[in-house]
Amino acid sequence: MARNRFGWWSRAVVSANNGFMTSSKQWYANPAARSFRTPPAPQEVLAFHQAALGYSPTRLKESRELATDLGVRQVFVKEESVRFGLPAFKMVGVLWSVYRILSARTGEAGENWSFDELADRFGGKLTLYCATDGNHGRAVAHTASLFGLSARVFVPSSISQAAKDGIRGEGAELTEVQAPYDDVVPHADAAAEADPAGQLVQDTAWEGYDQIPTWIVEGYSTIFRELDSQLEDAGVAGPDVVVTPCGVGSLLQATVAHYRGNDRPTDTPQPSLLSVEPLEAGCLVESLNAGGRVSVETGSTHMAGLNCGTVSTIAWPVLRGGVDAAVLVPENADISAVHRLEELGFDSGPCGAASLAGLHVAFDNPELRESMGVSGDSVVVLLSTESREANPLD
């Protein structure tokens, strides 16, 4: 039987009403966030990715038009539209985590295994399981193929046909479940437990399941270490605002771990970190305003990868302490952001474009803008987490 994830925290549920959360407050601000500190990801993660076949840094592109739109000095978009051949950022987390899983399964501590050595040792002997709204599952399936493993991916039946086809195209067995994402996760967990050769690779944590999600979050650190180098090459000391879309909070956890890392020099400027969620799935905003981790009932949204009702257990304390601001965005604002980015030459799906939509929401709120320390001289970085291929609007 699958573990009941919801039994391990307060079952306070905020319901949706015609797509709008019942909470009257659709944003959150934490003026103390820039003093928060947390351990950063290991330094070797970037070197691991750089040595992997097919690695190249994703594009960082400046947009003067967006800077004018937003009334700031510079806007850069970190465009995760092609990452290890897939149309979203997820591969950096999944690849590192599966490498760590297989290395640990050898039982030989201290070895630096190559991809080929691990594939020879485990190929055909292990099946990776996961639940997904699309991008994570495709990354798990693709990574399985790299190591000669099998993959079984569980999805909400409501996700796009393009997402389902992408997962099947990587050679995975796809199982559709008539349920929201949060209720699909226990199905994947149960199937992995029932399979002697099964291994769950999930990007959210709960009580008793946190090591693999931790490795996934560590893998995401490559995005930010690339970003540091790219901004330096552009002559920019660092961002003043970083905007991250939030589902279960794992990528946002990586954002906080990088910019609030306790290894950063004390005189390093601390950027303001903004989280963005769909109005139909505001689990982080609701939890922050409640002062504790709660679950929400999710609605229907084009931002499929963000349609999550519960924050990951390992992400929650980091987000509560280190996120400066969090906002909810409606569908029409997100779709407008997709089209605006497309006009400017960016390949961004609805989850990626949520960063731009959320920044407009935050900047239109005088209290939030002041709390984030935004001025006309600010440098903003938007994380665009997926391409239109990954999650088409049509």
Side-chain angles (χ1 to χ4, degrees):
M1 179 180 295
R3 291 187 287 264
N4 180 358
R5 302 189 310 133
F6 293 111
W8 292 322
W9 59 80
S10 167
R11 190 62 174 119
V13 176
V14 183
S15 63
N17 178 16
N18 296 324
F20 289 85
M21 307 313 294
T22 57
S23 171
S24 60
K25 193 169 183 182
Q26 296 171 2
W27 58 275
Y28 173 86
N30 177 12
R34 270 160 275 186
S35 63
F36 178 79
R37 294 294 178 270
T38 190
Q43 289 290 336
E44 62 263 29
V45 177
L46 176 60
F48 164 80
H49 285 132
Q50 289 173 330
L53 183 66
Y55 170 81
S56 62
T58 54
R59 181 173 74 155
L60 182 72
K61 182 181 177 183
E62 183 178 2
S63 174
R64 294 180 181 179
E65 294 89 348
L66 288 179
T68 299
D69 291 348
L70 294 160
V72 295
R73 177 160 60 94
Q74 288 176 289
V75 173
F76 293 88
V77 179
K78 181 65 167 162
E79 194 176 17
E80 294 286 316
S81 58
V82 181
R83 178 62 84 171
F84 284 108
L86 296 189
F89 75 100
K90 293 286 189 174
M91 271 296 294
V92 284
V94 173
L95 191 61
W96 173 250
S97 69
V98 173
Y99 173 78
R100 292 298 304 268
I101 289 166
L102 298 182
S103 296
R105 278 176 170 259
T106 67
E108 300 173 31
E111 293 285 349
N112 292 317
W113 299 97
S114 72
F115 280 78
D116 288 343
E117 287 171 331
L118 291 173
D120 287 344
R121 194 154 183 164
F122 294 102
K125 300 176 183 178
L126 193 66
T127 299
L128 305 183
Y129 288 78
C130 73
T132 185
D133 277 322
N135 292 328
H136 174 71
R138 187 170 177 182
V140 169
H142 186 73
T143 301
S145 69
L146 294 178
F147 287 104
L149 313 176
S150 300
R152 284 194 64 192
V153 179
F154 290 72
V155 302
S157 57
S158 59
I159 69 170
S160 72
Q161 190 60 46
K164 296 173 188 176
D165 291 345
I167 294 166
R168 288 194 180 100
E170 301 296 338
E173 178 185 342
L174 190 75
T175 300
E176 297 185 36
V177 181
Q178 293 282 347
Y181 165 80
D182 291 79
D183 294 335
V184 175
V185 174
H187 288 266
D189 184 21
E193 285 193 332
D195 182 354
Q199 173 65 66
L200 185 69
V201 182
Q202 201 57 51
D203 55 350
T204 187
W206 55 87
E207 185 177 335
Y209 182 79
D210 56 18
Q211 180 59 80
I212 291 169
T214 296
W215 286 334
I216 289 174
V217 172
E218 288 177 355
Y220 296 157
S221 66
T222 287
I223 297 169
F224 303 98
R225 287 175 174 148
E226 287 176 359
L227 179 56
D228 286 346
S229 296
Q230 290 168 321
L231 287 175
E232 184 177 354
D233 289 345
V236 177
D240 299 300
V241 178
V242 179
V243 190
T244 307
C246 178
V248 298
S250 295
L251 179 60
L252 185 59
Q253 181 185 353
T255 308
V256 176
H258 184 74
Y259 291 106
R260 307 285 188 250
N262 53 25
D263 62 335
R264 291 173 71 84
T266 55
D267 59 349
T268 301
Q270 295 294 320
S272 183
L273 306 180
L274 173 65
S275 166
V276 182
E277 298 172 280
L279 192 58
E280 295 78 10
C283 57
L284 179 59
V285 166
E286 293 294 339
S287 296
L288 291 170
N289 282 317
R293 187 165 156 267
V294 299
S295 300
V296 301
E297 291 182 4
T298 58
S300 176
T301 172
H302 284 95
M303 294 168 270
L306 309 182
N307 197 15
C308 306
T310 310
V311 179
S312 170
T313 54
I314 60 172
W316 167 244
V318 177
L319 307 188
R320 179 181 55 193
V323 170
D324 294 78
V327 296
L328 305 180
V329 296
E331 286 291 290
N332 60 346
D334 182 65
I335 292 171
S336 295
V338 170
H339 293 312
R340 178 59 173 154
L341 288 167
E342 185 176 36
E343 289 172 2
L344 299 174
F346 295 100
D347 180 7
S348 186
C351 292
S355 291
L356 177 58
L359 195 62
H360 278 293
V361 170
F363 280 13
D364 285 344
N365 182 326
E367 186 175 347
L368 264 185
R369 189 179 177 109
E370 181 179 357
S371 176
M372 293 168 63
V374 177
S375 72
D377 200 41
S378 293
V379 175
V380 175
V381 171
L382 306 176
L383 298 185
S384 177
T385 54
E386 66 177 8
S387 75
R388 291 285 292 274
E389 175 196 341
N391 189 7
L393 285 173
D394 300 331

